[in-house]
Amino acid sequence: MNEPILHASHVSIRFGGLQALTDFDLQVAPGELVGLIGPNGAGKTTAFNVLTGVYRPTSGEVRIAGEKVSGRRPNEIAARGLARTFQNIRLFKELSVLDNVRIACHHRAKVSWLGSVLGGPASFREEAAIRERAMEHLETMGLADRRDELAKNLPYGEQRRLEIARALATGPRCLLLDEPAAGMNPQEKAELMELIRWIRDRHQLAILVIEHDMKLVMGVCERLCVLDHGVRIAEGTPDQVRRDPKVIEAYLGTSGSGSEGGGGASPVGIVGGDAGDGEGGIEAREASR
């Protein structure tokens, strides 16, 4: 693996008597597309919150391109190249679609606040450049024709895409997507899968994805990290992970040696749909959540 753009090392976090993450390790290389998966309550969003500075880890450290960022504020971490979306959409709902993205572009503005208030030539040039950059991101996400609408009036799937556009506008080196396909129909999910790949290739980003749709995450990610009760239980390619007995047990409540009914199905049959009616396994289990 190349030198990681994002590296979590032995990260643990405790809330009172609850150990939410235990000795969590993760490396994401530049340009890599990685999935973070696990059953409900596994600690995936907690891991995102630690990586992005929402939570301070009890122990361990997080580094971006070799620089230690654990303990820093979220805006400081964002300035170092880590951007995210949220499991529950967090847009500026009373602002226009364009303004939601323009705000993120100001993250890297050069003109001082006083210069912006006075409105000198440098400020006008920068505002024009910010608008142009924001429109490029809206074009990427298929939202350019919605630029003047209030964010709250967008359909749910388009609000998801607006959140991704806003995250991209911060100029990240690593993009964290927390359940980006939530609320989308099958066609939208298929389009999202292609869009995630295109974003990675177009912007040369590393991308870390939390997603419950196993068809999407196993189709788009090159490597998966699996959490269960705050502990990493497996890591590898999608094919390796779907065959891992610990993963099967975490999702289905049974070991890879047999089905819950003792039918002796193989790990491939249980998880990959290669046996039986093809509708069972992790994919079906997650789809029902």
Side-chain angles (χ1 to χ4, degrees), residues 212 214 218 242 247-248 251-252 254 260 265-275 277-289:
H212 282 297
M214 289 296 105
M218 290 197 172
R242 75 198 312 159
V247 177
I248 297 167
Y251 274 95
L252 303 180
T254 180
E260 289 179 293
S266 71
V268 176
I270 293 172
V271 184
D274 293 336
D277 62 8
E279 296 298 320
I282 289 177
E283 287 91 340
R285 178 64 171 260
E286 282 297 273
S288 68
R289 289 184 185 274

Side-chain angles (χ1 to χ4, degrees), residues 25-37:
D25 286 301
L26 177 71
Q27 295 188 39
V28 182
E32 193 176 19
L33 220 167
V34 180
L36 183 61
I37 67 172

